[in-house]
């Protein structure tokens, strides 16, 4: 069976087996187990909660509260609790909301063979795709990505990205330029010990959308991943990027929703 013949159920099984829990917290500054949960604090102070299953848990509010307390003790500020649409955990959303979490936009979990993403994408004269390696360059890409997502420029997020890129080939940052202006960017993150790489942070400034820049970035990252021996790509995709990846052979196998808790000032001051 070729990778292109792999059924959605098989892809989802690979996702659950290879991409949940430990592999999600690689590179974290701190991680620990709390019952069925894996907790982490990433560089920059972002807390993270994931798990393989919550089957059999009878007191979800207590579990959520214990996770928040443990992460705050470890220095977390904002905390993300990552849920998946194919999990069946009655009462979890209510427990999260009761402890100050709010659901953000649901995204599609897309999986497929890297070979479907590698086709060359013709770009207009003056456009090019390249890697960003130097710290100053990485910070500029981070700022552009913040603006593309409609967010304020966040120096803390830029610091974390600089650190990740400097650590080696595990995180690659790619950028598309038009006449020397940064217009689109995205990360390639390899998952050691698995068949997968992740495509993350894909963002294009509104003025440059519809020109093939995101597809060209995706192709460049896919070729780089294949050269490192990986087979599959996974991505949590927005409604904008999902159809692009689908046309390249990726399959929607489930959904994921980040529930985010922002640490309030009163919790910091007592």
């Amino acid at each position: 069976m070729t990778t292109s013949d792999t059924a959605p159920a098989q892809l989802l099984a690979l996702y659950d087996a290879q991409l949940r829990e430990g592999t999600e917290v690689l590179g974290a500054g701190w991680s620990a187990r709390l019952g069925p949960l894996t907790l982490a604090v990433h560089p920059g102070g972002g807390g993270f909660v994931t798990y393989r299953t919550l089957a059999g848990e009878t007191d979800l509010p207590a579990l959520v509260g214990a996770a928040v307390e443990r992460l705050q003790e470890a220095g977390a500020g904002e905390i993300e609790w990552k849920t998946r649409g194919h999990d069946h955990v009655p009462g979890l959303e209510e427990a999260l909301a009761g402890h100050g979490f709010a659901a953000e936009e649901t995204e599609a979990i897309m999986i497929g063979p890297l070979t479907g993403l590698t086709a060359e994408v013709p770009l207009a004269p003056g456009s090019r795709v390249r890697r960003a390696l130097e710290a100053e360059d990485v910070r500029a890409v981070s700022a552009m990505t913040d603006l593309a997502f409609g967010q304020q420029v966040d120096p803390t997020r830029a610091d974390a990205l600089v650190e990740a890129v400097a650590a080696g080939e595990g995180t690659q940052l790619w950028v598309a330029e038009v006449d020397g202006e940064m217009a689109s960017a995205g990360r390639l993150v390899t998952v050691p010990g698995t068949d997968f790489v992740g495509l993350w942070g894909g963002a294009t400034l509104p003025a440059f959308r519809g020109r093939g820049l995101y597809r060209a970035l995706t192709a460049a990252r896919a070729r780089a991943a294949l050269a490192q021996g990986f087979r599959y790509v996974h991505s949590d995709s927005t409604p904008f990027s999902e159809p692009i990846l689908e046309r390249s052979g990726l399959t929607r196998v489930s959904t994921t929703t980040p529930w985010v808790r922002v640490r309030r000032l009163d919790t910091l001051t007592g």
Side-chain angles (χ1 to χ4, degrees):
M1 178 179 290
T2 66
T3 53
S4 60
D5 296 325
T6 308
Q10 292 172 294
L11 293 172
L12 182 58
L14 284 172
Y15 173 87
D16 281 338
Q18 295 191 21
L19 295 176
R20 296 185 71 163
E21 296 190 294
T23 55
E24 292 181 276
V25 299
L26 292 172
W30 174 91
S31 64
R33 295 284 297 179
L34 178 65
L37 304 177
T38 296
L39 312 179
V41 179
H42 290 291
F48 185 75
V49 183
T50 186
Y51 52 89
R52 182 69 58 88
T53 178
L54 295 182
E57 289 298 318
T58 58
D59 194 347
L60 290 171
L63 183 64
V64 173
V68 170
E69 182 178 358
R70 186 78 180 277
L71 282 164
Q72 289 184 339
E73 289 174 352
E78 182 176 282
I79 299 172
E80 176 187 344
W81 185 299
K82 190 176 179 70
T83 67
R84 276 84 170 189
H86 63 286
D87 291 337
H88 181 62
V89 191
L92 177 59
E93 293 184 353
E94 292 80 2
L96 290 169
H99 281 85
F101 288 84
E104 297 196 340
E105 182 180 9
T106 295
E107 297 181 322
I109 299 174
M110 305 291 291
I111 297 178
L114 281 162
T115 50
L117 301 175
T118 57
E120 290 285 348
V121 178
L123 295 175
S127 303
R128 66 166 181 162
V129 174
R130 63 176 179 84
R131 280 183 67 179
L133 295 168
E134 301 300 326
E136 183 177 352
D137 207 22
V138 172
R139 292 184 190 281
V141 175
S142 181
M144 183 278 295
T145 301
D146 287 341
L147 295 174
F149 280 130
Q151 302 170 339
Q152 290 193 351
V153 174
D154 186 343
T156 301
R157 191 155 39 231
D159 290 342
L161 187 56
V162 168
E163 184 175 339
V165 170
E169 291 296 305
T171 297
Q172 297 180 18
L173 182 62
W174 290 77
V175 60
E177 295 176 326
V178 177
D179 296 327
E181 180 180 353
M182 291 182 177
S184 184
R187 302 190 310 278
L188 166 67
V189 180
T190 63
V191 187
T194 76
D195 297 314
F196 286 90
V197 299
L199 298 182
W200 305 110
T204 305
L205 291 171
F208 296 98
R209 290 172 185 168
R211 303 188 188 188
L213 296 174
Y214 180 77
R215 287 188 293 116
L217 277 169
T218 299
R221 289 179 287 170
R223 288 191 292 269
L226 281 170
Q228 293 178 261
F230 293 92
R231 298 175 61 200
Y232 296 103
V233 59
H234 73 104
S235 179
D236 294 348
S237 300
T238 66
F240 173 75
S241 59
E242 180 181 351
I244 298 173
L245 296 178
E246 191 172 45
R247 288 194 296 270
S248 298
L250 273 68
T251 300
R252 178 184 176 126
V253 298
S254 187
T255 60
T256 180
T257 304
W259 285 73
V260 176
R261 184 183 193 274
V262 178
R263 194 169 189 179
R264 300 184 303 273
L265 181 60
D266 57 1
T267 66
L268 297 176
T269 60

